[in-house]
Amino acid sequence: MMAGFMTLFAALTAVALAVPDPTEAQERGPLRIEITEGVIEPMPVAVPDFVAQGGAAREWASRIARVVADDLAGTGLFREIPSEAFISPITSFSSPVQFADWKAINAQALISGAVGMEGDGKLVVKFRLYDVFAGQELGDGLRFSGTTEGWRRMAHKVADAVYSRITGEGPYFDSRVAFVAETGPKDARRKRLAIMDYDGANVQYLTDGNSIVLAPRFSPDGQSVLFTSYRSGFPRIYLLNTNSLQLRALEEQPGSMSFAPRFAPDGRTVVYSMTRGGNTDIYTLNIDTGQTRRLTSSPSIETAPSFSPDGNRIVFESDRSGSQQLYVMPVAGGVPERISFGQGRYGTPVWSPRGDLVAFTKQSKGRFHIGVMRLDGSEERLLTASFLDEGPTWSPNGRVIMFTRETQGAGGQASLYSVDITGRNLKRVRTDTGASDPSWSPLLK
Amino acid sequence: MNAGHYISGAGHLGLIGWLLWGANFAPASDPFEVSEVSVISAEEYAALTAPDTMPEASSQAVAPTPPDTSEEAPEIPAAPDEEPPDSTDPTVTRQDDPDQAPDVSGLRPPDPAQADDTSPEMGAAPAESATLAPENSERPTPRPAPRVAPEPVAPPESDSQVDEVRQEERVPDEGGETPAEPQEATAPEEAATEIVTEAEESPEVAPSASLRPRARPRGATAVANTNPPEENTETDADAINSALEEALGETRQTAAPQDAAPAGPPLSQGERDALRVAVQRCWNVGSLSSAALATTVIVGVSMERDGRPDVASVRLIGSDGGSDAAARQAFEAARRAIIRCGASGFDLPEEKYDRWQDIEMTFNPENMRIK
């Protein structure tokens, strides 16, 4: 009995002495550190001219590479390394990349591409993306084919693929913007409906400028544009097919004014404001059947409605509380819930395509701002400040906001600006004329 | 008794009586003071109490009298050929155009200071003493810069090359016995500590929040490992068994070489911090999506003895908080940081190589997401 007890005691003592200290066990593993701080700066990227595969493609090789580089640098997330710094130019699409030469100029990403012409006259663009410091290709290379007229779209698609692969954001370069082109003095300004590539290229005018047009809004399929026109003497909503230029008046009720239209995600329903008997409320209209439905009935002014991406809710502005604020209500009906509570007046809310944010115009302390907030009103952040900023519209991926900025004075001019939702990369969008009321299309098919 | 006695008695009684009660018949003093007043109207009274109420706007503006000037009035230039402001302009308080050049006509350069070439004499350094920090420090004004880094960086000198580290210019000494390699001056790019939007830049808008305190260095945060390393899978039972065997004099036949205790003392906190700072200098999250910025990744890397990372060994060990795609982008950013800043070797003590030949770095972007 005693001997058994002593044996057990000896065994327990041996175990107690032999079990390793937990900290010692920790030291046996790899060294562990945690990185919580970093830097935020544009990533240096090299975009050498694409290799022309055949003499006919030489014309496009350099131009496509320039558009790709401009797209990437225009986001503010990338910085193009000038070609003068290149050590070894890429002369063949299939030859191995000399990573050491690109590391030496601190290129963190490299885009190698080639352009060729097929027998039927179609342009073929292919590219590969490399992580220079890891010395390996990122993802699989892609190949696009199209007409020579569509060379800019192919360049945008290359840039979209690179942008999405590196950042993880959705693409947005291959998209268009509808806007109001403005010419002439302020008291006799000519306003025409126009569409252009997202970067200001390929402008097409859709109306002649004989009547005032306002607030164009793209349909979810990007084929049509809703807008408000004074062609009948009063504001009315029209639907314009951007391909056939076929025009259709949507809502004509005597003694009323309709404005601020916007499509629902289904593309068949339009939400808009109508003023009747001095009261402005929000309505929906079925484009196919012409059936309308009144959503608000408050004696205050309700306007600027915008659908949520799932089509179940609407954000709008109202002065029912005494000052202009933002509200959210269910499409099926219900009590609107106020979401803006800051100082100043809030207007023109637009729901983000991601569904997580609302962009808005804010007037406070004599200045106008474009800002974003969450749907519960939290995390409000003002991105801009100027004499007059208004009318935000989201890029298809919900990362960039475009808006109208008007300068002060009798000679004040309206122009389009864009800004990243972080508040970085505020810049003017290149347009040949004055421009206002932008509406960003979905990504082109 | 004669009449004299009566008269004398009456006189004394009268005197005694006056002394006793005479004071009660003195005229009482006035209970209040009276001063002259003037009657005022209700309007005048309202004017006197005006500070407690809002002033009423007058509908009749009175033109102010121009000040008396003894000098001749300056010539007024002809009005510009501008149209009157459009009545459709938004009704906002107009601000001075910040782009307009300020009027500097009234300014004149300051008198040149009397410079003295002799350097001032420095007194003895004061004895070290504790000082009380002010309770409320001035709020720092955010300064916009295209680059955001943990520490603010002033714009580099114009002739300096942009580099991760600051180096002085070095010119080879021709007369020296061992001429040193020439070195151009390098300095990090200008950086702010957080993103400053145009709205926050505006001088009349005060920053809405004070600067956040910097996170203290912490140990690696445990996150869910999607692919836990094999050496950590040893269970408690295995450890007890192996310890028991060792204590009983038995040897394990299958001891893995990586289980051997590392030689040399562990890295000091300063050495670990130096490595952390070296990596974070190259950890650029500026081109990451919102989803990738919400993803923490653990990256493993094997190191060469000269402090350089083995590029092929950089691997994703685990991730937390995002999708696989977000984890991939976050890992690639972390990999770039390790390889770029380790290209010339991290400053690690060679005698402790066994301690750092394998490193697991946790990249937690939480602080970067809210900048």
Side-chain angles (χ1 to χ4, degrees):
Chain A
M1 175 71 180
M2 190 62 182
F5 179 77
M6 290 299 290
T7 305
L8 179 62
F9 179 76
L12 289 174
T13 306
V15 168
L17 291 173
V19 169
D21 180 9
T23 55
E24 181 67 23
Q26 175 72 22
E27 286 175 3
R28 283 169 181 251
L31 173 65
R32 292 188 173 90
I33 62 169
E34 182 175 27
I35 316 289
T36 58
E37 296 286 343
V39 297
I40 297 174
E41 61 184 350
M43 174 193 281
V45 58
V47 191
D49 284 350
F50 284 12
V51 177
Q53 294 180 326
R58 188 163 296 128
E59 179 186 356
W60 312 105
S62 172
R63 294 165 76 177
I64 288 176
R66 289 305 90 225
V67 171
V68 172
D70 289 346
D71 281 348
L72 294 175
T75 63
L77 308 183
F78 300 90
R79 175 169 58 81
E80 188 195 3
I81 296 177
S83 58
E84 295 78 26
F86 294 171
I87 295 171
S88 57
I90 290 182
T91 53
S92 168
F93 184 64
S94 53
S95 57
V97 174
Q98 302 300 316
F99 289 112
D101 290 345
W102 300 103
K103 273 186 203 173
I105 59 171
N106 195 31
Q108 293 179 29
L110 167 69
I111 301 167
S112 162
V115 180
M117 299 287 281
E118 286 183 337
D120 55 0
K122 280 198 169 180
L123 204 60
V124 178
V125 180
K126 50 191 175 182
F127 78 97
R128 289 193 181 111
L129 171 65
Y130 298 95
D131 184 328
V132 172
F133 281 83
Q136 58 185 243
E137 190 173 348
L138 285 177
D140 299 323
L142 290 176
R143 178 180 184 276
F144 301 103
S145 159
T147 62
T148 52
E149 288 78 27
W151 70 272
R152 290 190 96 259
R153 280 201 62 191
M154 283 192 278
H156 288 321
K157 283 188 175 297
V158 171
D160 269 334
V162 171
Y163 171 84
S164 295
R165 182 62 187 80
I166 294 178
T167 67
E169 299 283 14
Y172 76 91
F173 302 128
D174 188 23
S175 60
R176 310 208 80 192
V177 172
F179 66 103
V180 175
E182 300 187 2
T183 51
K186 202 167 188 174
D187 59 348
R189 193 154 284 177
R190 190 173 180 221
K191 296 192 172 191
R192 287 182 291 172
L193 196 63
I195 54 174
M196 63 182 184
D197 290 359
Y198 95 99
D199 57 359
N202 288 334
V203 176
Q204 290 175 264
Y205 296 100
L206 305 180
T207 60
D208 54 14
N210 289 332
S211 57
I212 293 176
V213 292
L214 297 170
R217 302 287 180 246
F218 261 112
S219 61
D221 63 4
Q223 301 298 311
S224 309
V225 171
L226 282 170
F227 66 100
T228 305
S229 172
Y230 281 74
R231 62 169 46 209
S232 66
F234 292 95
R236 292 272 180 268
I237 299 171
Y238 293 86
L239 178 64
L240 178 70
N241 185 300
T242 55
N243 296 321
S244 65
L245 298 186
Q246 186 182 2
L247 189 65
R248 173 185 163 196
L250 281 189
E251 176 67 8
E252 286 201 70
Q253 292 190 17
S256 70
M257 293 188 294
S258 308
F259 51 95
R262 205 179 281 272
F263 272 102
D266 63 12
R268 295 197 305 272
T269 307
V270 172
V271 63
Y272 64 101
S273 292
M274 184 160 65
T275 300
R276 186 189 287 164
N279 185 27
T280 303
D281 277 306
I282 293 174
Y283 295 74
T284 55
L285 165 73
N286 186 303
I287 295 177
D288 300 330
T289 64
Q291 188 178 7
T292 62
R293 190 159 72 92
R294 185 173 179 174
L295 299 184
T296 62
S297 55
S298 167
S300 51
I301 296 174
E302 276 78 38
T303 186
S306 171
F307 269 97
S308 61
D310 61 7
N312 291 328
R313 290 184 291 170
I314 291 175
V315 62
F316 63 98
E317 66 175 68
S318 169
D319 63 356
R320 60 180 61 197
S321 66
S323 70
Q324 197 176 312
Q325 300 291 340
L326 305 185
Y327 294 80
V328 172
M329 67 178 173
V331 172
V335 180
E337 182 186 350
R338 180 173 166 179
I339 63 168
S340 63
F341 294 94
Q343 289 186 341
R345 294 194 290 172
Y346 296 78
T348 64
V350 192
W351 214 302
S352 157
R354 296 177 184 175
D356 56 344
L357 295 172
V358 167
F360 55 84
T361 304
K362 181 175 182 176
Q363 188 187 356
S364 176
K365 298 176 183 173
R367 288 176 80 76
F368 279 78
H369 308 272
I370 299 296
V372 292
M373 66 167 69
R374 294 204 170 275
L375 266 300
D376 58 1
S378 65
E379 297 184 31
E380 176 181 329
R381 186 163 201 197
L382 301 182
L383 308 177
T384 73
S386 88
F387 167 69
L388 178 56
D389 287 349
E390 62 179 357
T393 181
W394 288 95
S395 63
N397 66 352
R399 174 78 196 217
V400 183
I401 294 172
M402 195 179 289
F403 60 96
T404 306
R405 170 166 289 186
E406 189 154 345
T407 51
Q408 191 172 2
Q413 183 87 343
S415 46
L416 304 184
Y417 277 72
S418 67
V419 64
D420 192 90
I421 57 168
T422 59
R424 305 174 74 204
N425 199 36
L426 174 66
K427 62 174 187 173
R428 183 175 176 173
V429 180
R430 183 191 63 195
T431 52
D432 294 334
T433 65
S436 62
D437 278 345
S439 171
W440 215 314
S441 80
L443 205 64
L444 299 180
K445 298 285 191 297
Chain B
M1 298 208 25
N2 55 23
H5 287 104
Y6 288 112
I7 293 169
S8 173
H12 279 90
L13 282 173
L15 179 63
I16 291 168
W18 182 80
L19 287 173
L20 288 174
W21 297 289
N24 290 340
F25 299 102
S29 60
D30 293 335
F32 51 85
E33 289 184 6
V34 177
S35 59
E36 288 188 3
V37 297
S38 60
V39 177
I40 62 171
S41 65
E43 289 76 11
E44 288 168 326
Y45 178 76
L48 285 173
T49 57
D52 294 334
T53 59
M54 289 292 288
E56 237 177 80
S58 170
S59 59
Q60 293 180 345
V62 179
T65 313
D68 240 357
T69 53
S70 56
E71 293 175 8
E72 201 176 325
E75 203 171 309
I76 299 171
D81 288 332
E82 282 184 3
E83 293 170 8
D86 196 324
S87 60
T88 58
D89 274 355
T91 56
V92 297
T93 308
R94 300 196 170 199
Q95 306 285 324
D96 288 334
D97 187 353
D99 293 337
Q100 269 183 355
D103 181 11
V104 296
S105 58
L107 298 178
R108 57 190 184 86
D111 296 333
Q114 296 294 325
D116 192 354
D117 283 339
T118 57
S119 57
E121 284 187 13
M122 299 290 289
E128 199 171 295
S129 61
T131 55
L132 292 175
E135 283 187 12
N136 294 314
S137 60
E138 285 186 8
R139 296 209 288 180
T141 307
R143 176 188 164 83
R147 182 171 185 264
V148 175
E151 301 292 339
V153 179
E157 299 284 338
S158 57
D159 55 350
S160 295
Q161 282 194 340
V162 172
D163 197 6
E164 301 298 340
V165 293
R166 185 182 298 276
Q167 295 183 46
E168 298 295 328
E169 184 176 8
R170 192 170 58 220
V171 181
D173 183 9
E174 292 179 357
E177 290 182 356
T178 54
E181 285 280 313
Q183 170 68 51
E184 289 190 7
T186 62
E189 198 176 342
E190 180 188 9
T193 53
E194 59 185 285
I195 295 171
V196 180
T197 68
E198 186 186 43
E200 292 161 342
E201 248 180 83
S202 179
E204 60 265 16
V205 179
S208 56
S210 59
L211 288 177
R212 286 173 289 280
R214 195 161 306 288
R216 294 179 59 190
R218 288 174 289 168
T221 304
V223 296
N225 288 0
T226 55
N227 184 20
E230 286 184 6
E231 57 267 27
N232 291 339
T233 57
E234 191 179 49
T235 62
D236 290 344
D238 291 336
I240 292 170
N241 287 337
S242 63
L244 190 56
E245 287 168 5
E246 195 177 334
L248 297 175
E250 297 175 14
T251 54
R252 294 181 69 180
Q253 302 299 320
T254 57
Q258 63 264 33
D259 285 346
L267 264 65
S268 68
Q269 190 60 45
E271 289 163 342
R272 295 163 68 101
D273 284 347
L275 174 62
R276 185 174 50 77
V277 169
V279 176
Q280 74 183 21
R281 227 173 30 217
C282 289
W283 185 36
N284 179 15
V285 298
S287 55
L288 288 184
S289 67
S290 313
L293 271 175
T295 306
T296 297
V297 290
I298 301 178
V299 179
V301 57
S302 299
M303 303 292 292
E304 307 288 352
R305 195 171 278 277
D306 61 1
R308 295 172 199 263
D310 175 6
V311 174
S313 74
V314 182
R315 63 204 178 275
L316 176 65
I317 293 176
S319 67
D320 182 44
S323 64
D324 288 348
R328 185 178 61 187
Q329 266 96 35
F331 163 67
E332 286 167 359
R335 180 174 64 183
R336 279 191 290 273
I338 296 170
I339 298 174
R340 277 180 58 218
C341 270
S344 52
F346 291 113
D347 187 15
L348 290 164
E350 194 176 352
E351 68 276 12
K352 299 179 184 176
Y353 174 62
D354 287 339
R355 295 282 184 176
W356 51 262
Q357 63 176 334
D358 284 304
I359 306 178
E360 280 183 17
M361 301 186 193
T362 301
F363 290 83
N364 182 351
E366 187 179 352
N367 287 352
M368 304 304 296
R369 198 165 57 240
I370 55 175
K371 278 188 187 282

